[in-house]
Amino acid sequence: DAKHLVPNKMRDFFCTINLDQEEVFRTQVVEKSLSPYFGEEFYFEIPRTFQWLSFYIYDKSVLQKDLRIGKVSIKKEDLCNYTGKENWFMLQPVDSNSEVQGKVHLELKLNELITDNGSVCQQLVVHIKECHGLPLINGQNCDPYATVSLVGPSRNDQKKTKVKKKTSNPQFNETFYFEVTRSSSYTKKSQFQVEEEDIEKLEVRVDLWNNGNLVQDIFLGEIKVPVKVLRNDSFQAWYLLQPRENGNKSSKTDDLGSLRLNICYTEDCVLPSEYYASLRNLLLKSSDVQPISASAGYILSEVCRDKYDAVLPLVRLLLHHHKLVPFVAAVAELDLKDTQEANTIFRGNSLATRCVDEMMKIVGKHYLKVTLKPVIDEICESPKPCEIDPIKLKEGDNVEINMENLRYYVDKVFREIVRSSISCPTLMCDVFYSLRHLAAKRFPNDPHVQYSAVSSFVFLRFFAVAVVSPHTFHLRPHHPDAQTSRTLTLISKAIQTLGSWGSLTKSKLSSFKETFMCEFFKTFQEEKFTESVKKFLDDVSSTESKEPSGLSEPVHLKEGEMYKRAQGRTRIGKKNFKKRWFCLTSREFTYHKQQDKEPIFTIPIKNILAVEKLDESSFNKKNMFQVLHGEKPLYIQANNCVEASEWIEALCRVTRCNQKRLNFYHPSAFLNGNWLCCKATIESTVGCARCTADVPADTQIEIDGDREAERIYSLFTINMSKLQKLEEACGSIAVYQGPRKEPDDYSNFTIEDSVATFHTLKQIIDIVEKLNESHEKYQKKRSSSAKYGSE
C-alpha cells in the first residue's frame, strides 16, 4: 500500500513492477484515494540480468498519458537487505537522468608513442565494442550512440560514435585516440616518466544517448573509468551503465509520499542433479520417519522464520517425486493431536494446512478453470447490482432486486462447484481422503467432523478464495472493477458459509458479523443445500477412480494477449504485427481476434517442431519467440521478458515428447531472400543453430526438482545456527534426561523424540557442509572467469 501521495487530491492510483525500465506487472487501479491499499502479490521468475527492481506509482488518467508520481528503486545487490520484511520506502522523483539500464563493453589501454621530433607521449586508446540491454524508448527500440570523453581539471576532449538504428544491443566497434601526456625532454638513455599530476586527475567517460532526430536526445546512462588504473595493462570489461551523479536530486525527500513493500528475493546457483542426491533422499523419506517431527521436512518448517519459505519448495519437491500424500497425512495427524474441538479443525496456519493450500494451488489450476471460469466471466462481463449492505447502497438502488441478483449468482456458483467432483484432480482427492479419515479417528463421536475436515479446505481455502480474487488464479486476465469486486466478495462470503459443514442451521445464523448477511441467509434454510454439500464432499474425498470422460478433456495451460507477425509475406509484412488472444491447451495452440471468439489459427500440439527465442535483429523488437510447425514459422512478441519466458517454457513443456522435434533452427527470420542469421538464400535450409534442450517436467505440474532441492539447501544454510542449537538441545535431552539448558534457544521447537531428531539433524548438517564445499568450488571457478568493470 501507499500513503500521503502527491498531488493532495483524491486520485486513481496504480503501481507497476519493473526490471530496470521494463514493466513486468501492474496492480489494479485503486479509485479516489490518497493512501491506496493494493494488497496484491506477484510471484515470478526473473529471466534476465538486471540492475534495479523498481516500483512506480502512477496517477491514472482517462484522456491523457498516465502521470508517474514517483518511484522506489532497489539495487539488485541490496535486495537481500529487505527480503522477507515489510518496509516503508520514500518515493523518489522520476528523473530521466536516473532511469538507466544495460551495459557497455570497453577495451582501454595506454600506449607510448615517439613523435617525429623524437619526444615521447602517452596515448589513450578507447575501443567501444558494443552495448547490451538498453531500454525501450516509448515502447520501441532506441537509436543509440555513444560519446567518449577524456575529462580532467582543464580539459574535456569528446568524440562520438555513429548512430545505430532501432536496436537495444548496438554493435559499435569504433576506436578513439586521445593524447594524454607529453614529456618535456627525451633521450634514449633516460626512462620515460608519466606526469603524475595529469594522470591522477584524468578519467574516461562514456555516455550513451538515444538520438532524438527532431527532439532532444535522451540520456541512457554513463560510466567513468580513472585513467590511472590503466598504467600497467590494457583493460577490457563489461561496465554496467550508471545514472548521472546529479540524476536523483530532489528539493525534498518526503514530499511525494511512501510505498510499503514486502519483497522476497532469492537467487540460487543450481548444481548438477547428482549433488543433491543425499538431500533429496533424506527429504523424500520424511513421511517414513517416526515421529514425523523428527523428519527433515518437518525440521525445515520449524527452523524457517516464515513457514511459507519452507512449504513452497518442500511441497513442490515431494509432489514431483510422488511423496506428498503420505507426508501431508503424517503432519496432519500431528496437527490433530493439538486440536481440542472438532469445530476448529484445520483452521490455523500450521504446516499441514500450508502444505494442502500450496498443493491445491499447484494441481488445482485446471480444476478451477473448468469449474468457475464461465460463471466468473458472466459476472464480470455483464454485472448485475448485488449490494445488500444498507450503508453501501447507492441512491435509487433497490435492495430486494439486488438480493435477487446476488442469490442468482450464489446459486449458480454453488451449483457449478457441487457438480464439479468429476474434474477434481486425483491427488486432491487422495489428500482429502486422508484428512477425512484422520479427523473421524480423532473425533469418533462427531459424525460431521469427517466433512468439516474437507470443507475447511475445498470451500474456505480454495473455491471461496478463487472467487474473491479471480485474477490471482488466472481465471480473469485483468482485475475486476470496484463494483464487480464487491459482488465477488459477497458471493465468496456466501460460498464459505454454504460449504462450511452444518453452518445452515438456525443456531449458526447468529454468528454472522453483518446483519444484512444474516437476513440474506434466511432464504437458504433448505435441506437440499446441506445434502448437495455432503454428496460433493463424499465424492471429492473418495479414492475411487474417476470416469475416463474427465481425463479426455484438454488441459487448459495458458492464455493471454500478445502480438503476432502476419503469416502472409507481403512487402510491408515486416511491420505487420497484430494484437491477438493466444490460448494453449494440452491439445492445441490457437490465436483469436478477441478473447472467447472462435480461433483464427490453430496448431495441434503434435505438429509443433520447436519453440525458440527469435533474435531481436529480425524485426527490431524485443521479447520475440518463434513456434516452428509444418508451415512457415509463427513469430510472436510478448509484452515483457517475464511473459516471453513463461510462454516459451509452457510451449516447450507440452511439446517435449513430440516425435518430429527439430535438432536445428534459425535464430533469425527469413527476410528479403535470405536468412539473417546464416545468410542462406533457400528458405527450407536446415537451421544453423542447435535447438535448446527439452524441459523435463510434467505438462500440468511445472517443477524442477533440483531447483527445489537447492532452495531447501539455501534455507538450511541460512538457518544453520538454529539447526546447531536444536542439535545441542537434543543431545542434552538424550544424555541427561534432565532439565533442558538454555530453554529460549529451542523452546519453540517440537522435540518429541530427541534421539531420532538428533540423528536427522546430524545428517542435515553433514549434507549442507558437503554442498557448501561444492558451491565454494563453483564460485571460485566462476569468479576467476568473470570480469566486470563496474557494478
Side-chain angles (χ1 to χ4, degrees):
D1 57 349
K3 64 183 179 184
H4 309 317
L5 297 181
V6 170
N8 293 315
K9 295 179 187 172
M10 301 295 254
R11 294 293 182 94
D12 300 342
F13 293 107
F14 66 92
C15 181
T16 67
I17 303 175
N18 294 49
L19 292 173
D20 297 321
Q21 301 306 296
E22 183 179 12
E23 180 187 319
V24 291
F25 290 105
R26 67 170 56 191
T27 68
Q28 63 186 328
V29 177
V30 177
E31 298 176 345
K32 304 287 182 294
S33 174
L34 274 177
S35 297
Y37 178 76
F38 301 108
E40 294 193 51
E41 193 171 281
F42 300 91
Y43 173 85
F44 61 101
E45 305 292 334
I46 298 177
R48 62 170 177 82
T49 55
F50 71 105
Q51 282 181 257
W52 301 86
L53 180 67
S54 300
F55 303 83
Y56 291 81
I57 293 283
Y58 282 82
D59 178 359
K60 180 75 177 169
S61 175
V62 178
L63 302 174
Q64 299 173 334
K65 191 178 177 183
D66 299 331
L67 177 67
R68 285 199 287 195
I69 299 297
K71 69 172 182 178
V72 171
S73 287
I74 305 170
K75 210 168 185 176
K76 178 185 174 181
E77 292 75 32
D78 297 333
L79 282 170
C80 58
N81 300 332
Y82 304 106
T83 288
K85 296 176 280 192
E86 283 191 359
N87 291 278
W88 279 101
F89 296 88
M90 302 301 294
L91 288 173
Q92 301 298 319
V94 179
D95 177 346
S96 60
N97 284 338
S98 67
E99 303 289 282
V100 301
Q101 71 174 57
K103 57 187 179 179
V104 59
H105 193 188
L106 289 184
E107 184 176 8
L108 307 167
K109 60 183 173 182
L110 275 175
N111 287 340
E112 281 187 12
L113 294 180
I114 302 175
T115 60
D116 294 340
N117 62 7
S119 63
V120 173
C121 73
Q122 286 282 88
Q123 183 189 55
L124 173 69
V125 184
V126 180
H127 180 192
I128 178 164
K129 296 188 173 185
E130 60 182 317
C131 291
H132 186 81
L134 298 180
L136 299 176
I137 305 293
N138 298 324
Q140 299 294 320
N141 278 321
C142 51
D143 295 337
Y145 70 89
T147 59
V148 182
S149 310
L150 183 63
V151 182
S154 57
R155 66 190 291 180
N156 188 353
D157 303 339
Q158 187 178 91
K159 302 177 191 288
K160 179 180 165 185
T161 68
K162 292 173 183 172
V163 175
K164 299 295 180 181
K165 292 284 187 182
K166 302 292 177 218
T167 177
S168 295
N169 303 315
Q171 302 278 334
F172 291 113
N173 279 322
E174 294 190 43
T175 305
F176 301 100
Y177 301 90
F178 299 90
E179 187 179 284
V180 179
T181 62
R182 190 182 292 279
S183 73
S184 54
S185 63
Y186 174 80
T187 65
K188 288 184 179 178
K189 292 179 183 176
S190 69
Q191 194 69 28
F192 174 75
Q193 296 294 325
V194 174
E195 294 176 12
E196 296 290 338
E197 63 277 8
D198 286 343
I199 282 280
E200 289 297 324
K201 297 170 185 173
L202 290 177
E203 67 180 9
V204 181
R205 194 175 81 202
V206 179
D207 292 76
L208 268 293
W209 298 86
N210 178 61
N211 183 37
N213 292 322
L214 301 175
V215 296
Q216 189 176 359
D217 292 355
I218 297 172
F219 174 76
L220 300 178
E222 70 176 14
I223 60 123
K224 295 177 180 179
V225 183
V227 173
K228 62 183 179 184
V229 304
L230 308 175
R231 281 178 179 161
N232 302 321
D233 196 10
S234 67
F235 195 81
Q236 183 179 174
W238 282 97
Y239 290 82
L240 294 171
L241 289 169
Q242 303 295 331
R244 278 208 175 133
E245 286 181 358
N246 62 350
N248 258 330
K249 62 184 178 186
S250 70
S251 52
K252 297 179 185 175
T253 56
D254 57 350
D255 56 355
L256 296 175
S258 50
L259 183 66
R260 183 165 57 137
L261 302 168
N262 189 338
I263 300 165
C264 183
Y265 172 73
T266 57
E267 183 175 302
D268 294 321
C269 159
V270 184
L271 300 173
S273 189
E274 59 268 19
Y275 285 87
Y276 302 107
S278 299
L279 179 61
R280 187 167 52 238
N281 293 338
L282 187 64
L283 290 160
L284 296 180
K285 288 176 184 170
S286 290
S287 55
D288 302 326
V289 175
Q290 294 291 336
I292 190 66
S293 61
S295 70
Y298 192 90
I299 289 168
L300 175 69
S301 72
E302 286 284 271
V303 296
C304 286
R305 190 164 58 91
D306 184 347
K307 267 195 174 57
Y308 180 78
D309 291 342
V311 165
L312 186 62
L314 181 62
V315 166
R316 290 165 73 87
L317 185 73
L318 294 172
L319 199 54
H320 186 59
H321 292 281
H322 312 291
K323 293 282 189 180
L324 183 65
V325 177
F327 181 76
V328 168
V331 292
E333 190 169 16
L334 187 64
D335 206 9
L336 286 169
K337 281 183 185 175
D338 296 329
T339 306
Q340 301 305 317
E341 295 181 27
N343 61 358
T344 62
I345 195 167
F346 299 131
R347 290 297 173 94
N349 268 332
S350 64
L351 177 59
T353 57
R354 286 287 186 93
C355 284
V356 178
D357 282 351
E358 201 54 48
M359 177 275 297
M360 291 191 297
K361 278 184 197 170
I362 296 169
V363 303
K365 285 180 187 173
H366 176 59
Y367 179 33
L368 277 178
K369 274 201 170 113
V370 296
T371 307
L372 290 183
K373 192 174 187 333
V375 65
I376 296 288
D377 285 345
E378 180 189 336
I379 294 165
C380 292
E381 287 160 18
S382 52
K384 300 176 181 179
C386 293
E387 186 56 73
I388 57 173
D389 184 352
I391 299 168
K392 295 186 178 180
L393 285 172
K394 294 176 183 172
E395 195 174 335
D397 278 357
N398 185 318
V399 72
E400 303 296 331
I401 292 174
N402 287 9
M403 198 174 280
E404 281 180 28
N405 293 338
L406 182 60
R407 177 66 195 256
Y408 166 77
Y409 283 147
V410 169
D411 279 340
K412 194 157 190 177
V413 172
F414 179 79
R415 193 164 58 249
E416 292 299 327
I417 291 172
V418 294
R419 286 177 180 174
S420 72
S421 58
I422 189 66
S423 305
C424 186
T426 308
L427 190 84
M428 284 175 67
C429 296
D430 290 344
V431 169
F432 295 152
Y433 176 82
S434 295
L435 298 177
R436 175 178 178 169
H437 285 272
L438 287 169
K441 182 179 164 188
R442 172 70 180 84
F443 297 102
N445 299 323
D446 188 329
H448 298 311
V449 75
Q450 58 177 313
Y451 295 111
S452 56
V454 178
S455 67
S456 62
F457 287 106
V458 74
F459 277 99
L460 273 66
R461 304 171 85 118
F462 186 60
F463 283 119
V465 179
V467 168
V468 83
S469 55
H471 57 281
T472 307
F473 289 84
H474 307 293
L475 298 175
R476 293 288 297 171
H478 307 296
H479 301 275
D481 58 50
Q483 183 183 324
T484 309
S485 287
R486 173 64 180 162
T487 298
L488 293 172
T489 300
L490 292 170
I491 296 168
S492 178
K493 285 184 177 188
I495 292 301
Q496 283 184 54
T497 308
L498 285 170
S500 182
W501 184 256
S503 62
L504 289 175
T505 58
K506 287 179 183 174
S507 61
K508 288 280 182 181
L509 282 174
S510 58
S511 66
F512 279 110
K513 292 176 186 174
E514 306 101 334
T515 312
F516 62 87
M517 287 301 288
C518 186
E519 289 301 312
F520 176 61
F521 261 93
K522 284 180 180 174
T523 64
F524 285 88
Q525 297 302 300
E526 300 171 30
E527 198 173 301
K528 69 173 187 180
F529 286 101
T530 312
E531 286 304 310
S532 297
V533 171
K534 181 175 180 289
K535 183 180 184 310
F536 169 73
L537 295 174
D538 278 333
D539 289 345
V540 296
S541 57
S542 161
T543 56
E544 293 170 16
S545 60
K546 298 269 183 293
E547 293 173 26
S549 60
L551 302 173
S552 63
E553 289 293 311
V555 179
H556 188 102
L557 298 170
K558 191 167 177 59
E559 62 181 348
E561 215 167 48
M562 294 187 288
Y563 293 85
K564 66 105 197 159
R565 183 181 181 243
Q567 297 275 61
R569 296 291 170 87
T570 64
R571 283 191 179 278
I572 58 168
K574 190 171 179 180
K575 296 181 181 176
N576 195 2
F577 279 81
K578 293 183 178 175
K579 189 183 282 188
R580 292 289 181 254
W581 185 265
F582 287 81
C583 184
L584 174 65
T585 71
S586 55
R587 194 174 291 166
E588 58 193 20
F589 181 50
T590 57
Y591 63 76
H592 317 242
K593 267 198 173 177
Q594 292 175 329
Q595 188 183 1
D596 299 329
K597 299 286 184 188
E598 288 299 309
I600 305 171
F601 190 74
T602 300
I603 307 173
I605 293 301
K606 65 182 182 193
N607 291 355
I608 294 177
L609 307 175
V611 182
E612 298 288 346
K613 288 181 179 177
L614 186 72
D615 279 359
E616 180 191 318
S617 58
S618 300
F619 302 105
N620 287 321
K621 291 180 183 290
K622 280 181 171 286
N623 306 317
M624 287 203 67
F625 62 95
Q626 52 184 318
V627 179
L628 305 172
H629 55 108
E631 300 168 34
K632 293 177 179 178
L634 176 60
Y635 297 129
I636 302 170
Q637 183 188 26
N639 294 306
N640 58 61
C641 62
V642 172
E643 193 178 273
S645 176
E646 288 177 352
W647 272 105
I648 292 168
E649 191 180 344
L651 281 159
C652 283
R653 193 178 305 110
V654 78
T655 59
R656 76 196 188 288
C657 296
N658 287 1
Q659 292 182 347
K660 296 180 181 178
R661 281 185 69 94
L662 296 176
N663 292 321
F664 293 90
Y665 77 107
H666 290 284
S668 292
F670 186 83
L671 293 174
N672 302 322
N674 68 79
W675 288 102
L676 298 181
C677 41
C678 59
K679 306 304 176 191
T681 54
I682 300 169
E683 195 168 358
S684 58
T685 304
V686 174
C688 56
R690 182 168 284 281
C691 288
T692 51
D694 292 341
V695 180
D698 186 272
T699 56
Q700 295 177 56
I701 302 173
E702 310 155 16
I703 294 170
D704 178 343
D706 295 335
R707 182 169 182 171
E708 305 307 332
E710 170 63 28
R711 183 89 289 273
I712 291 169
Y713 152 73
S714 297
L715 291 169
F716 276 138
T717 305
I718 293 164
N719 294 288
M720 180 54 79
S721 61
K722 289 186 184 176
L723 290 169
Q724 289 167 340
K725 284 176 183 174
L726 188 54
E727 187 184 35
E728 287 171 21
C730 290
S732 71
I733 295 165
V735 173
Y736 301 112
Q737 292 295 324
R740 298 183 177 190
K741 296 179 181 179
E742 303 172 21
D744 290 343
D745 284 338
Y746 53 84
S747 55
N748 294 327
F749 296 125
T750 304
I751 305 177
E752 285 185 277
D753 183 324
S754 57
V755 175
T757 308
F758 182 87
H759 180 65
T760 305
L761 284 162
K762 191 169 186 328
Q763 288 178 282
I764 293 170
I765 292 167
D766 289 346
I767 288 167
V768 169
E769 284 172 355
K770 281 181 186 170
L771 276 167
N772 282 343
E773 290 173 14
S774 302
H775 279 81
E776 281 170 18
K777 282 180 188 172
Y778 172 79
Q779 291 297 350
K780 278 180 187 173
K781 186 179 175 185
R782 186 184 180 195
S783 60
S784 64
S785 61
K787 189 175 183 184
Y788 243 77
S790 66
E791 295 294 336

